[in-house]
Amino acid sequence: MASASIPAYNSVSPLENRSSQNASRESLKMELLADVTLLPGEERIIGKDIIYMCPFNGALKGKVFITNYRLYFRSVDTDPVMTLNVPLGVIGRVEKMGGASSRGENSYGLDITCKDMRNLRFALKQEGHSRRDIFDILFKYAFPVSHSLTMFAYMSQEKYEENGWNVYKPMEEFRRQGLPNDKWRITFINQSYELCDTYPTILAVPFKASDEDLKKVASFRSRGRIPVLSWIHRENQAVICRCSQPLVGMSGKRNKDDERYLDVIREANGTAKLTIYDARPSVNAVANKATGGGYEGDDAYQNAELVFLDIHNIHVMRESLKKLKDIVFPIVEDSHWLSSLESTHWLEHIKLVISGAIQVADKISGGNSVIVHCSDGWDRTAQLTSLAMLMLDSHYRTLRGFQVLLEKEWISFGHKFASRIGHGDKNYADQDRSPIFVQFIDCVWQMTKQFPTAFEFNERLLITILDHLFSCRFGTFLYNCESVRDTNEVRTKTVSLWSLVNSEASTYQNPFYTPECSRVLYPVASMRHLELWVSYYIRWNPRIRQQQQSPVEQRYMELLALRDEYLKKLEELQLTDSSPNSSHLSNSSTPNATSPTQHITHLHTPL
Amino acid sequence: MLGGLSSGGGKAAKASFVSYVTPEEIKSEKEPFRKENNPDFLPGEVVFCSANTVLKYTQDDLSQRGVFGTLLCTNFRVSFVSDEVASDETSKLFKNKLYGENDIPLSCVDNIYGGYEDKKKLITGSLVKNKYPSKVIIHCKDLRVFQFSLTYSKEEDAKKIFQGIVHHCLEPKSLKCVFAFTYCEKSSGPEMQRKERTMLFNCLEDWTHDMKRTKGNCRLVRENSNFELSPRLPQFFVVPSNVSDEDLTKFQGKGLPMWCWSHHSGCALFKTPSLPQLPEDNVSQMYMEKMLTAVAHTHLYSVKTEDLSDTLPTLQDIQLSYNKFKQFFLIENTTEFWMSDMKWFSSLENCGWLDIIRQCLQKAVEVVECLEKENTNVLIMEEGGSDLCCVISSLVQLMLDPYYRTLLGFQSLVQKEWVIGGHAFLDRSNHLHLKEKVESQAPVFLLFLECVWQLHQQHGPAFQFSETYLTVLSDSLHVPAFTTFLFNNDSHRVSVLTAESPSSQRAVMNWPSVWDWSAQFDCKALDLFMNPLYAQKPKQDRSQRKTHRPKHQRQLSLPSSAFKTPAKKGFFKDEADSLKKILRVRRISRWMLSPSSESPQTSSSAREFYEAWQAKPLDYHGLLLPCLDGPSIRVWMQRYLRWIHEVQILGGGPVALLSKVYELLGDIQELRRELDRHACTQTPNHRGATTRPKVKSAAELSARSSVRLSSSFPFVTSRNWQFKPAIPTSMLQSLIMTGVAGDLASRDDDGGETETIV
């Protein structure tokens, strides 16, 4: 993808197909797409001569191919060859540029707006409506949902060694956290999504609250999203609960069941105060009363303190990222870079989200249970709970643990991926769209930047996740909630992104990872440390040097290899030296150049 | 001594005041330690005055907490000695031998503020006679901030110490009062004897060696060894080979091209103090033409000139910008910190410091392009010739010559271009606080280090030295124990040092040099000066380089390109006819004539030059160019953020990565040693524990990594691991939404379903 001058990172880009070796290729092979292997299930639809108006290298003649999965462009007569490899799911908007009578070179063609911080322009010959067919095809296949077509995830025939759908098993995860216990029980009340249609089927709730209580509480919480347990601290038993806003309304309604329920949560670990974090600015929380929502009043919830975290809503975040795109694509704003960056407020929002999560994590560490909500409890709430859990629980910092975190806090608890991303939907101006999940991944990236040894996964995983957030190649991020996923049989008919990731786990591993079990990570939420994620937001710009590996990583891998070489030599010497009873050494010396964990165990092998 | 406590404590303490120890406690418990309340004085150090029961506020919070101790002022430093026994020895890892964490070398003091009740006043030398403030705030040039309360000291003592500090830190003094001249520590002697050493360029050999190394073919001038020619010129220097004896002194060195470095193609870089060109002054014009011809003669008869005074910020700009910039890091309390965090990026931009760095790097890239791509000689000039000329010439050499990216090479470069090159260190830092020198103060050398740091952070593996080394070097500028950065030029240096050295006692060369790092740190700490990422040069590289050479030879024999294009309009209007034919004198660019313009007119050729270089695989031992795009120029975090408690990432930061590399390097060294031992002994009957390498056990490893470092490592070690996370305060104000966004901000998330809300 992208221009040939930034081959390093993108040559291993997740959007490249690397799995198709597993499938039978003969039937799928196409000569015109000779240099890119199609995915199993991918079919070519059209091929055409075209001019790509590269914002960095000028007009490039070439051929474009469109399949049911991607748009592929390959330049001709250029050295080096320049290619574009864009999954159709990434496309947000397709427009015609210029008319049949437009003057000027290359003024007639297509303008494509992508969801991943870039725009693509193609120019065609003006004669004979040459863009009509390609426009129609692109429009149809980029927005299958708007055209009653199936998304590519359902046509993909990819096979992987591992089934990523097995990564997250709610019961297993609860058991890992030590649940159920004498204070918290697992309930199946939502088995058929009757209590709450946007929640998962299995929930952890206070032992003292009966299913009847839950139903009563549900009537007082927006969309029935009652407070349920997300995470419990092993030692002090403090919990993070998540929910939606209470339905207080203009009249300031109260609900005894809800009040009692929250008190039961507080009681569970015997602390005096329960802290409720309302992610919204207080003004917005107040304004929500007008539509029947609101927040927990002091008098109604005596044993609780309410803290507003001042995080803005999805619309503000959408506009903020839009502004960010304006200053980084195609040209990186140069002369007033810093003030331009500030005026997007993007990093300021990141700062607010992270500092909100720090406060949650800090409270939990101090032994107090917390409740987190915003309006509906599926955007800001998911950001806060999952970031706090990432700070508190080192398990979520592993490659698999992170997948569990996403599956649990985002996917199962109904972050509206379909609405926020607009998978396969042509309505680009939909007000429901917002980069909330992108913002969350950015926060995670900021944490990995500040704690470069604390995470088992690397930046590539985060970029891969964001690429497939849009691509529609996997079922992982499709649809708004579990109930809709069940109806559409996502788990049986599509492939999980984690199948791809876990089948080539070493690609996504951080060689510097140093597991530390009981350590709470508090990132510094100061502008001094927050930085723009250049290798994601500005990755299409060839002037920003993309290094496949950071120099530190490269050096570290070299040194690891050197150490192994020495260890091996030493073992050989000792083998020849000493008696046969040291034969166990040969087992431990299996050379392996990729997995860092293996290196570490290797080091400790007695010699 | 302690009797003063009760009387001094007569001043009412604030109600909010909390301290670790009450004055009574000190009285009862700490008395036995009282006598040891001195720092380890350096040889030659003399105490001027001191005061007991001074409270040093801990900077961590607003709670007004602090530690009691003695505040002293000596001829070397302002020192605070705590009454509490230092408990934690782990913080000593990177201890400076000359001054500790509570010591401020006199020339490191930047500003002193007096706290009078609620008002904070900047203290200028003459202001204080009788009144003394209850609180003294000292801002240091290495960005530390100290806050002392004098409320609990004897009035007499408090007055004395305050006046003493102000006198010795802010008032004019003579150069001879600088501690270096009384510091009697024997320097470990010149490194001369050692095989590999920093070239000081105060002798012929160093110049000969450097010219040989770069294959330069210029004239080494030795006639000034006693400054007979001019005190403005160094003892030894190099000029184009065509410069005659009489040219050397014609304008006291103005207009005389001084050789800096030769490119392997044969062309070279020169610098000179500019010679004012008056239209009617034929003599100076003739001279300048002659000098340009001489430069051009060096290679291919082409030369480009660049007057840096026209195209780069002035010294005043630099000083002004840095003064604004440093304020962001001189943080006195948490509230102030989080307030400044809100408008961080725009404040950073408004002070212009990063832009000045960018401009210098840009200029250096332009010069590099001339040398590397066009193989023309370059003559850079400016008024005085020893400020921005030094910045640019050393940056150019750093980008082009990997030798200068080694530790010794870098120090040699600083010696060549700055110390011997005549940068007026004394005036630029105004160590002596002379009123008439206030105008000439400017952090030019720091600006250079900033530029180096940018290169370092973009291309780490290309440098043998570490970021920590650069930070320490920037601090050492303000340690008055060394003579390296104490003079205005070479003759100044030699004359003062000769006068101060009774002929038998100490030779001029034996004065402590900053390059003798063992004077400041022990060898364990010095390990941190080395960059663990440094990519050693592969051996076979040398042969490759040789095979590349002929390319340039070929160009040399086909200089057609140098003549084909018509000479652009020359900078010097009255070029001799003969000169016009053979000489192309051009300015490099006019970039930055209007710094306020929307997009700086980066010449498209420079852009292409960078892109062409970037397209090639990166060779850390070849040409190095900086990326100058907005996001690429950054704040030197280690230097500027190291003392700010709020931004310390405990257990994180880049040091977390580097320490893993250090660890691994340690393991490898051990293994190598073990292998060597095997190779030596070769005895087949070794067995068991005796031959096994002491590979670290898992327990040892984890113990090692549990000594967690903070992002401020090695300057601050996190002693107190139990800590509260820093939670930003007052954030929302900055997020006042306007226009469309303001409208959106008040809406609910899922607008479609709750349309009633606007």
Side-chain angles (χ1 to χ4, degrees):
Chain A
M1 4 191 321
S3 72
S5 48
I6 43 168
Y9 210 104
N10 293 307
S11 63
V12 289
S13 160
L15 299 189
E16 298 282 331
N17 165 39
R18 309 171 95 228
S19 63
S20 49
Q21 294 97 322
N22 307 331
S24 66
R25 243 185 257 175
E26 288 142 60
S27 58
L28 303 164
K29 207 170 176 180
M30 269 184 293
E31 62 185 300
L32 285 175
L33 282 172
D35 57 337
V36 61
T37 324
L38 294 185
L39 297 175
E42 185 177 358
E43 279 167 37
R44 188 189 148 205
I45 302 180
I46 191 176
K48 209 172 175 76
D49 289 329
I50 209 161
I51 296 166
Y52 169 53
M53 310 294 291
C54 175
F56 312 108
N57 304 323
L60 296 171
K61 278 186 188 169
K63 249 185 147 54
V64 69
F65 304 96
I66 292 168
T67 71
N68 51 356
Y69 171 65
R70 79 184 95 200
L71 178 157
Y72 183 78
F73 169 83
R74 185 183 162 80
S75 68
V76 291
D77 307 329
T78 58
D79 183 37
V81 170
M82 197 273 183
T83 61
L84 280 175
N85 192 351
V86 186
L88 297 181
V90 165
I91 294 173
R93 181 178 184 178
V94 188
E95 279 180 306
K96 290 173 182 166
M97 162 182 88
S101 57
S102 290
R103 299 273 171 89
E105 209 184 347
N106 301 329
S107 62
Y108 175 85
L110 299 175
D111 198 350
I112 298 171
T113 310
C114 298
K115 296 170 181 174
D116 61 355
M117 304 295 282
R118 59 178 160 163
N119 290 1
L120 306 170
R121 283 186 149 213
F122 293 102
L124 291 108
K125 286 191 200 110
Q126 259 151 315
E127 305 88 63
H129 305 289
S130 64
R131 74 180 168 197
R132 187 185 285 165
D133 50 349
I134 188 167
F135 175 83
D136 289 345
I137 283 169
L138 213 48
F139 199 72
K140 194 167 138 192
Y141 286 91
F143 310 120
V145 175
S146 302
H147 294 92
S148 310
L149 296 171
T150 38
M151 281 188 274
F152 179 74
Y154 286 90
M155 291 181 275
S156 168
Q157 305 289 317
E158 290 181 78
K159 297 276 184 294
Y160 291 96
E161 290 157 29
E162 194 188 304
N163 184 358
W165 293 120
N166 295 330
V167 163
Y168 174 56
K169 300 214 168 88
M171 279 312 292
E172 249 174 50
E173 169 59 17
F174 280 132
R175 237 172 270 134
R176 187 190 69 85
Q177 293 188 22
L179 298 172
N181 60 20
D182 58 343
K183 301 285 186 199
W184 294 89
R185 68 188 181 92
I186 306 297
T187 174
F188 299 90
I189 186 176
N190 204 34
Q191 194 64 57
S192 46
Y193 307 106
E194 275 168 350
L195 180 80
C196 173
D197 61 353
T198 56
Y199 262 9
T201 52
I202 303 173
L203 302 168
V205 294
F207 192 82
K208 279 191 179 170
S210 69
D211 281 1
E212 272 314 299
D213 294 335
L214 300 181
K215 279 179 195 158
K216 285 179 197 157
V217 173
S219 69
F220 192 63
R221 289 279 162 179
S222 176
R223 298 168 212 272
R225 295 173 67 92
I226 61 166
V228 294
L229 180 145
S230 272
W231 191 77
I232 185 164
H233 192 287
R234 276 222 177 237
E235 276 90 52
N236 64 30
Q237 297 289 300
V239 296
I240 302 177
C241 287
R242 57 181 292 170
C243 58
S244 61
Q245 63 184 342
L247 298 174
V248 175
M250 291 299 265
S251 56
K253 266 181 288 186
R254 289 180 57 168
N255 181 304
K256 284 281 167 223
D257 299 296
D258 193 69
E259 289 163 25
R260 201 178 319 118
Y261 184 72
L262 258 56
D263 215 40
V264 167
I265 292 175
R266 176 190 64 79
E267 271 171 26
N269 80 331
T271 40
K273 268 256 189 283
L274 176 73
T275 308
I276 303 170
Y277 285 105
D278 189 327
R280 304 167 291 186
S282 57
V283 194
N284 297 45
V286 173
N288 260 288
K289 285 186 173 182
T291 46
Y295 53 91
E296 293 82 356
D298 287 343
D299 39 345
Y301 299 84
Q302 300 265 339
N303 295 322
E305 58 167 346
L306 180 67
V307 179
F308 293 105
L309 293 176
D310 298 331
I311 302 169
H312 279 281
N313 65 27
I314 63 165
H315 311 293
V316 172
M317 302 310 179
R318 180 180 60 234
E319 294 311 311
S320 176
L321 188 64
K322 211 176 262 174
K323 278 190 203 154
L324 182 63
K325 183 173 174 181
D326 288 343
I327 67 161
V328 300
F329 188 90
I331 289 154
V332 179
E333 171 72 48
D334 227 358
S335 50
H336 297 291
W337 165 250
L338 291 170
S339 54
S340 308
L341 181 61
E342 186 173 273
S343 69
T344 68
H345 295 294
W346 182 253
L347 287 177
E348 225 164 314
H349 295 307
I350 297 271
K351 171 177 163 176
L352 278 164
V353 173
I354 292 179
S355 62
I358 291 173
Q359 291 174 62
V360 172
D362 186 38
K363 262 288 179 271
I364 294 291
S365 299
N368 287 294
S369 292
V370 304
I371 297 222
V372 183
H373 71 70
C374 46
S375 294
D376 292 305
W378 51 44
D379 293 309
R380 289 168 273 199
T381 301
Q383 288 180 331
L384 289 168
T385 55
S386 51
L387 281 173
M389 286 155 77
L390 208 53
M391 292 172 197
L392 289 162
D393 191 338
S394 61
H395 174 67
Y396 298 126
R397 297 175 218 143
T398 63
L399 184 59
R400 276 170 185 265
F402 188 64
Q403 295 165 17
V404 169
L405 184 71
L406 297 186
E407 285 283 350
K408 176 175 154 60
E409 287 304 298
W410 289 85
I411 297 166
S412 86
F413 271 101
H415 172 70
K416 305 206 296 177
F417 281 103
S419 305
R420 298 288 176 257
I421 306 303
H423 290 130
D425 178 16
K426 67 178 180 182
N427 186 8
Y428 59 85
D430 189 343
Q431 294 292 297
D432 259 359
R433 294 200 186 172
S434 185
I436 299 302
F437 186 72
V438 174
Q439 188 175 50
F440 160 73
I441 294 290
D442 194 333
C443 292
V444 175
W445 179 80
Q446 304 283 353
M447 281 185 70
T448 62
K449 244 346 226 190
Q450 294 194 15
F451 299 99
T453 60
F455 293 83
E456 193 193 8
F457 53 86
N458 58 17
E459 183 181 46
R460 195 167 307 148
L461 177 79
L462 299 178
I463 294 181
T464 303
I465 287 172
L466 289 186
D467 281 340
H468 291 299
L469 173 67
F470 306 121
S471 77
C472 297
R473 176 173 150 192
F474 301 100
T476 304
F477 298 116
L478 299 184
Y479 304 110
N480 281 338
C481 55
E482 294 289 56
S483 58
V484 181
R485 264 173 227 122
D486 281 1
T487 320
N488 289 287
E489 299 165 276
V490 169
R491 285 173 154 264
T492 48
K493 290 189 173 166
T494 72
V495 179
S496 162
L497 170 58
W498 315 130
S499 303
L500 170 98
V501 168
N502 294 333
S503 301
E504 41 188 64
S506 64
T507 319
Y508 303 104
Q509 257 153 3
N510 168 17
F512 295 101
Y513 177 53
T514 316
E516 283 181 284
C517 286
S518 58
R519 181 165 158 220
V520 183
L521 293 188
Y522 291 117
V524 174
S526 157
M527 285 314 204
R528 268 83 157 176
H529 279 306
L530 298 181
E531 49 181 303
L532 186 72
W533 188 6
V534 168
S535 43
Y536 179 69
Y537 298 114
I538 321 188
R539 62 179 159 157
W540 311 121
N541 190 324
R543 276 178 68 84
I544 305 291
R545 187 179 275 271
Q546 301 275 346
Q547 278 161 328
Q548 184 172 8
Q549 274 180 323
S550 76
V552 195
E553 190 176 330
Q554 215 169 324
R555 173 85 168 139
Y556 194 68
M557 297 311 271
E558 281 166 20
L559 289 177
L560 279 175
L562 185 64
R563 185 185 61 184
D564 278 15
E565 195 189 307
Y566 283 167
L567 276 171
K568 217 171 136 194
K569 267 190 204 158
L570 212 53
E571 279 165 14
E572 278 163 11
L573 280 171
Q574 278 160 355
L575 270 182
T576 52
D577 280 358
S578 54
S579 50
N581 63 8
S582 61
S583 61
H584 65 280
L585 282 173
S586 54
N587 300 330
S588 65
S589 65
T590 34
N592 188 321
T594 49
S595 164
T597 44
Q598 269 161 313
H599 283 291
I600 287 160
T601 50
H602 196 162
L603 175 69
H604 301 149
T605 310
L607 286 161
Chain B
M1 289 269 104
L2 268 166
L5 196 109
S6 42
S7 63
K11 299 199 171 185
K14 283 182 189 167
S16 64
F17 180 85
V18 188
S19 87
Y20 292 129
V21 283
T22 64
E24 289 70 30
E25 273 177 317
I26 299 175
K27 200 174 184 179
S28 55
E29 292 169 22
K30 307 288 177 181
E31 197 128 31
F33 301 105
R34 175 57 63 192
K35 278 187 186 139
E36 292 153 38
N37 248 357
N38 281 329
D40 301 328
F41 290 122
L42 300 176
E45 192 173 0
V46 182
V47 180
F48 290 139
C49 47
S50 69
N52 294 325
T53 37
V54 170
L55 184 84
K56 175 183 164 273
Y57 293 101
T58 49
Q59 212 193 315
D60 310 0
D61 52 17
L62 273 177
S63 62
Q64 301 274 299
R65 268 191 277 202
V67 192
F68 279 103
T70 307
L71 190 61
L72 307 109
C73 181
T74 76
N75 57 346
F76 170 60
R77 64 184 134 185
V78 173
S79 179
F80 176 80
V81 185
S82 167
D83 289 340
E84 283 172 42
V85 188
S87 54
D88 200 348
E89 288 299 311
T90 57
S91 62
K92 298 287 158 70
L93 177 72
F94 200 63
K95 192 178 177 292
N96 193 307
K97 291 184 195 168
L98 299 182
Y99 63 100
E101 56 173 350
N102 288 325
D103 296 334
I104 315 163
L106 293 183
S107 39
C108 186
V109 172
D110 195 9
N111 279 313
I112 300 177
Y113 295 89
Y116 301 90
E117 267 119 59
D118 286 338
K119 277 182 190 157
K120 185 178 137 188
K121 262 192 205 159
L122 178 68
I123 306 290
T124 55
S126 53
L127 236 161
V128 281
K129 282 293 168 261
N130 290 312
K131 265 179 88 181
Y132 70 91
S134 55
K135 191 171 174 185
V136 182
I137 304 163
I138 302 180
H139 288 185
C140 301
K141 287 181 177 162
D142 61 10
L143 302 148
R144 287 178 297 169
V145 175
F146 289 90
Q147 307 189 50
F148 299 109
S149 168
L150 303 179
T151 318
Y152 306 93
S153 312
K154 250 198 273 184
E155 233 174 289
E156 211 177 295
D157 288 354
K159 198 159 128 190
K160 231 184 250 168
I161 189 75
F162 177 66
Q163 285 174 351
I165 290 174
V166 170
H167 177 77
H168 293 289
C169 295
L170 299 180
E171 281 170 16
K173 59 176 158 190
S174 86
L175 183 57
K176 280 168 194 166
C177 293
V178 172
F179 181 65
F181 298 106
T182 40
Y183 181 36
C184 340
E185 186 65 53
K186 281 210 186 92
S187 82
S188 57
E191 302 173 283
M192 286 304 197
Q193 292 79 9
R194 263 177 265 166
K195 212 176 194 180
E196 292 202 329
R197 60 174 180 93
T198 302
M199 292 198 287
L200 298 176
F201 289 92
N202 55 0
C203 56
L204 273 175
E205 298 85 74
D206 288 351
W207 286 101
T208 321
H209 178 265
D210 208 44
M211 223 184 349
K212 233 185 229 166
R213 194 183 61 81
T214 60
K215 302 201 165 54
N217 54 345
C218 293
R219 175 186 164 187
L220 179 54
V221 180
R222 49 191 93 196
E223 286 82 356
N224 203 34
S225 60
N226 289 314
F227 302 102
E228 309 92 320
L229 295 177
S230 166
R232 288 165 187 268
L233 296 169
Q235 277 180 299
F236 305 100
F237 57 97
V238 178
V239 295
S241 48
N242 279 11
V243 171
S244 69
D245 283 353
E246 64 179 56
D247 293 333
L248 290 175
T249 50
K250 205 150 194 177
F251 291 94
Q252 295 100 37
K254 282 187 186 160
L256 178 66
M258 310 280 272
W259 175 84
C260 300
W261 183 78
S262 288
H263 186 257
H264 57 75
S265 67
C267 63
L269 174 66
F270 299 87
K271 63 179 176 184
T272 185
S274 42
L275 180 62
Q277 300 284 301
L278 300 168
E280 66 275 12
D281 183 2
N282 275 325
V283 189
S284 66
Q285 283 174 16
M286 292 281 285
Y287 177 73
M288 210 56 229
E289 273 161 25
K290 201 172 169 198
M291 290 304 104
L292 282 171
T293 320
V295 170
H297 245 280
T298 310
H299 179 69
L300 283 185
Y301 295 101
S302 73
V303 58
K304 285 191 178 186
T305 67
E306 176 76 356
D307 194 331
L308 301 175
S309 309
D310 292 349
T311 52
L312 287 177
T314 64
L315 294 186
Q316 286 75 22
D317 293 341
I318 293 169
Q319 170 74 358
L320 218 66
S321 171
Y322 183 69
N323 273 344
K324 284 189 212 158
F325 177 72
K326 74 181 179 199
Q327 292 306 327
F328 306 142
F329 308 100
L330 295 163
I331 301 290
E332 282 168 25
N333 61 56
T334 301
T335 320
E336 193 187 307
F337 174 82
W338 289 114
M339 284 298 288
S340 67
D341 204 49
M342 292 190 306
K343 286 278 165 201
W344 169 242
F345 288 120
S346 51
S347 332
L348 202 56
E349 184 176 293
N350 290 337
C351 79
W353 182 245
L354 292 185
D355 202 49
I356 292 176
I357 294 169
R358 189 197 320 268
Q359 288 176 38
C360 289
L361 286 166
Q362 173 72 42
K363 186 58 68 192
V365 171
E366 287 167 15
V367 175
V368 166
E369 187 185 357
C370 296
L371 294 164
E372 172 79 13
K373 196 170 138 197
E374 299 164 25
N375 300 145
T376 37
N377 300 294
V378 176
L379 174 64
I380 50 174
M381 52 179 94
E382 73 174 316
E383 199 194 329
S386 57
D387 290 297
L388 292 165
C389 273
C390 301
V391 175
I392 302 303
S393 68
S394 8
L395 284 176
V396 167
Q397 294 173 62
L398 215 51
M399 291 177 193
L400 281 163
D401 192 336
Y403 166 67
Y404 295 121
R405 295 175 218 145
T406 63
L407 184 78
L408 291 176
F410 182 73
Q411 298 184 158
S412 303
L413 181 68
V414 172
Q415 276 288 332
K416 180 170 76 162
E417 294 299 324
W418 295 81
V419 179
I420 301 300
H423 176 65
F425 280 103
L426 186 64
D427 286 356
R428 296 291 167 259
S429 54
N430 197 13
H431 280 322
L432 308 180
H433 307 284
L434 304 177
K435 295 280 176 298
E436 67 271 22
K437 296 290 186 190
V438 169
E439 293 287 292
S440 57
Q441 218 175 321
V444 182
F445 186 65
L446 178 64
L447 174 61
F448 164 63
L449 294 182
E450 283 264 18
C451 294
V452 177
W453 181 84
Q454 302 291 341
L455 279 167
H456 194 287
Q457 64 107 14
Q458 289 187 20
H459 307 295
F463 293 86
Q464 191 192 26
F465 49 88
S466 66
E467 177 187 26
T468 303
Y469 167 79
L470 286 174
T471 306
V472 170
L473 180 56
S474 76
D475 290 344
S476 301
L477 209 55
H478 314 298
V479 180
F482 310 106
T483 53
T484 310
F485 301 130
L486 214 49
F487 304 106
N488 279 332
N489 56 46
D490 202 22
S491 70
H492 187 214
R493 182 180 67 87
V494 173
S495 63
V496 174
L497 291 185
T498 318
E500 290 296 313
S501 321
S503 53
S504 56
Q505 291 284 311
R506 184 181 259 174
V508 172
M509 283 172 195
N510 275 359
W511 291 84
S513 154
V514 75
W515 311 127
D516 180 13
W517 293 108
S518 62
Q520 289 194 69
F521 297 97
D522 62 27
C523 55
K524 262 266 166 57
L526 289 181
D527 281 349
L528 295 170
F529 281 10
M530 302 313 268
N531 176 10
L533 301 182
Y534 181 55
Q536 292 284 348
K537 192 173 186 171
K539 287 251 168 71
Q540 66 268 32
D541 232 25
R542 208 165 269 178
S543 58
Q544 278 178 0
R545 265 191 118 189
K546 272 183 187 149
T547 57
H548 279 302
R549 282 277 162 80
K551 195 178 151 199
H552 296 288
Q553 301 293 318
R554 202 169 61 234
Q555 282 181 349
L556 197 102
S557 59
L558 293 168
S560 54
S561 66
F563 296 93
K564 261 182 197 167
T565 45
K568 288 192 182 164
K569 199 181 170 193
F571 177 46
F572 302 104
K573 284 165 195 159
D574 285 2
E575 285 172 359
D577 277 356
S578 60
L579 207 67
K580 272 182 185 161
K581 283 177 201 152
I582 56 158
L583 182 62
R584 296 187 312 145
V585 181
R586 281 199 279 142
R587 306 189 61 196
I588 291 171
S589 78
R590 289 182 175 274
W591 189 66
M592 270 322 297
L593 274 179
S594 50
S596 57
S597 68
E598 269 307 299
S599 56
Q601 298 281 308
T602 315
S603 61
S604 60
S605 93
R607 189 164 264 258
E608 274 168 34
F609 180 58
Y610 175 78
E611 278 170 6
W613 171 80
Q614 193 203 25
K616 279 179 250 163
L618 181 55
D619 172 13
Y620 288 120
H621 294 281
L623 175 65
L624 218 57
L625 294 180
C627 179
L628 300 172
D629 284 345
S632 306
I633 303 294
R634 292 152 171 263
V635 173
W636 185 353
M637 304 273 249
Q638 191 192 47
R639 175 175 155 81
Y640 292 104
L641 296 184
R642 56 192 154 150
W643 316 115
I644 304 176
H645 180 258
E646 286 79 4
V647 286
Q648 282 191 43
I649 307 170
L650 292 166
V655 66
L657 286 189
L658 289 185
S659 59
K660 294 220 52 156
V661 179
Y662 276 119
E663 267 173 36
L664 189 53
L665 277 171
D667 289 344
I668 286 173
Q669 255 167 24
E670 218 163 297
L671 282 169
R672 193 178 294 159
R673 234 173 284 139
E674 188 60 31
L675 275 173
D676 288 348
R677 204 172 335 159
H678 260 280
C680 291
T681 51
Q682 288 269 327
T683 42
N685 55 353
H686 269 299
R687 61 173 59 198
T690 50
T691 55
R692 278 175 194 175
K694 204 180 153 276
V695 177
K696 304 238 157 32
S697 70
E700 268 179 77
L701 258 186
S702 60
R704 241 192 317 180
S705 56
S706 74
V707 181
R708 285 184 199 126
L709 308 170
S710 89
S711 56
S712 298
F713 179 84
F715 296 95
V716 174
T717 41
S718 44
R719 264 159 276 178
N720 192 356
W721 193 241
Q722 288 291 318
F723 85 111
K724 294 290 276 180
I727 294 165
T729 52
S730 61
M731 290 178 298
L732 197 64
Q733 290 95 311
S734 64
L735 271 174
I736 295 160
M737 299 296 166
T738 50
V740 187
D743 186 33
L744 290 172
S746 58
R747 277 169 54 182
D748 197 32
D749 270 356
D750 293 276
E753 287 160 87
T754 49
E755 273 174 343
T756 41
I757 285 197
V758 180

